[in-house]
Amino acid sequence: MVTSIRRRIPRLIGASGLAATLALGAGAATATAAQQAAPKASTAAPNLCGKQPRPNVCPRVNQGNQAIGRTGRVNQGNQAVGRTGRVNQGNQAIGNTGGTNQGNQAVGGTGAVNQGNQAIGGAGGTNQGNQAIGNTGGTNQGNQAVGGTGTVNQGNQAIGNTGGTNQGNQAVGGTGAVNQGNQAIGGAGGTNQGNQAIGNTGGTNQGNQAVGGTGRVNQGNQAIGNTGGTNQGNQAVGGTGRVNQGNQAIGNTGGTNQGNQAVGGTGTVNQGNQAVGGAGGTNQGNQAIGNAGGTNQGNQAVGGAGGTNQGNQAIG
């Protein structure tokens, strides 16, 4: 009896080892199967925004992007860019309370609607080279390049290229010691109106431009300097437009207001352009000019309440 039991012990041990091996093998197989099944579970959900044709699920919307620098010594080169989007709006490149705020871009390319983009520099020692640009868009409006409370605010651009409607773009410098070279430009647009290049309460406000090129309607563009020690060389220019009217180059309450231009070139109708200087110590050399236009009327070069008012021109 004892001998038979002793003979059976190795068999029992071998059986138990085999059972353990089988159990471990089963566990490993289960783990391997689980690892292999995991990717299948992750790809079970539909790829809504990939290459599958689901236009109603993932429309081309690029909006509300922000590139913001707050209280930074240098805030530059930020980009909020939307390309080939049906809607590209509300993008912001903003620098607040920065020693240097430059080269920020809010750009919309090849979008049916490109609006409300902002490149803004607030309370910065230098605020320059900011851009709000819309390219090849059916509607390009309300873009802003704004510099507020900056010692130097220059070279800001609000530009709309090849847009069916290009309106309400602004290049604005507020409360800056130097506010110059700002541009609000609309090129090759069916309608180009209400663009503004404005300098407020700046020691020097010069070289600002509100320009509309190759537009069927080019009107209401403004280059305005308010309460500036020097307000000069501002331009409101419309080129090659069937209707070019109501453009303004205005200097208000400036010590010097000179060389401002309201010019309409090669337009069928060129009327109501104004080069106006109000309440300035010197108001001279302002021009309201219409070139090669079928109708050229109502242009004004006006100097109001200025100690010196000379050399103003209204030319057709």
Side-chain angles (χ1 to χ4, degrees), residues 44-153:
N47 187 6
L48 299 181
C49 297
K51 296 182 180 179
Q52 296 182 6
R54 299 292 299 275
N56 294 328
V57 176
C58 292
R60 294 173 181 173
V61 176
N62 181 54
Q63 61 189 3
N65 297 315
Q66 291 179 318
I68 302 178
R70 297 180 183 280
T71 317
R73 294 180 182 178
V74 178
N75 181 54
Q76 63 189 3
N78 296 315
Q79 291 180 317
V81 183
R83 297 180 184 280
T84 316
R86 294 181 184 177
V87 178
N88 181 55
Q89 63 189 2
N91 296 314
Q92 292 179 317
I94 303 177
N96 292 321
T97 318
T100 302
N101 182 54
Q102 63 189 3
N104 297 313
Q105 290 181 319
V107 183
T110 317
V113 177
N114 180 53
Q115 63 190 2
N117 296 314
Q118 292 178 316
I120 302 178
T126 302
N127 182 54
Q128 63 190 2
N130 297 314
Q131 291 180 318
I133 304 178
N135 292 321
T136 317
T139 302
N140 181 53
Q141 62 190 3
N143 295 314
Q144 292 179 317
V146 183
T149 317
T151 304
V152 178
N153 181 55

Side-chain angles (χ1 to χ4, degrees), residues 255-312:
T256 302
N257 182 55
Q258 62 190 2
N260 297 312
Q261 290 180 318
V263 182
T266 316
T268 304
V269 177
N270 180 55
Q271 63 190 3
N273 296 313
Q274 292 179 317
V276 183
T282 302
N283 182 55
Q284 63 190 1
N286 297 312
Q287 291 179 317
I289 303 177
N291 293 320
T295 302
N296 182 55
Q297 63 190 5
N299 296 314
Q300 292 179 316
V302 183
T308 303
N309 181 55
Q310 62 190 2
N312 297 312

Side-chain angles (χ1 to χ4, degrees), residues 91-257:
N91 296 314
Q92 292 179 317
I94 303 177
N96 292 321
T97 318
T100 302
N101 182 54
Q102 63 189 3
N104 297 313
Q105 290 181 319
V107 183
T110 317
V113 177
N114 180 53
Q115 63 190 2
N117 296 314
Q118 292 178 316
I120 302 178
T126 302
N127 182 54
Q128 63 190 2
N130 297 314
Q131 291 180 318
I133 304 178
N135 292 321
T136 317
T139 302
N140 181 53
Q141 62 190 3
N143 295 314
Q144 292 179 317
V146 183
T149 317
T151 304
V152 178
N153 181 55
Q154 62 190 1
N156 297 313
Q157 291 179 317
I159 303 178
N161 293 321
T162 317
T165 302
N166 181 54
Q167 62 189 3
N169 296 313
Q170 291 180 319
V172 183
T175 318
V178 177
N179 181 55
Q180 63 190 1
N182 296 313
Q183 291 179 317
I185 302 178
T191 302
N192 182 54
Q193 62 190 2
N195 296 313
Q196 292 179 317
I198 303 177
N200 294 319
T201 318
T204 302
N205 182 55
Q206 63 190 1
N208 297 313
Q209 290 180 317
V211 182
T214 317
R216 294 184 180 180
V217 177
N218 181 57
Q219 62 190 1
N221 297 313
Q222 292 178 317
I224 303 177
N226 293 319
T227 317
T230 302
N231 182 55
Q232 63 190 1
N234 296 313
Q235 290 180 318
V237 182
T240 316
R242 293 184 183 178
V243 177
N244 181 57
Q245 62 190 2
N247 296 314
Q248 292 178 316
I250 302 177
N252 293 320
T253 318
T256 302
N257 182 55

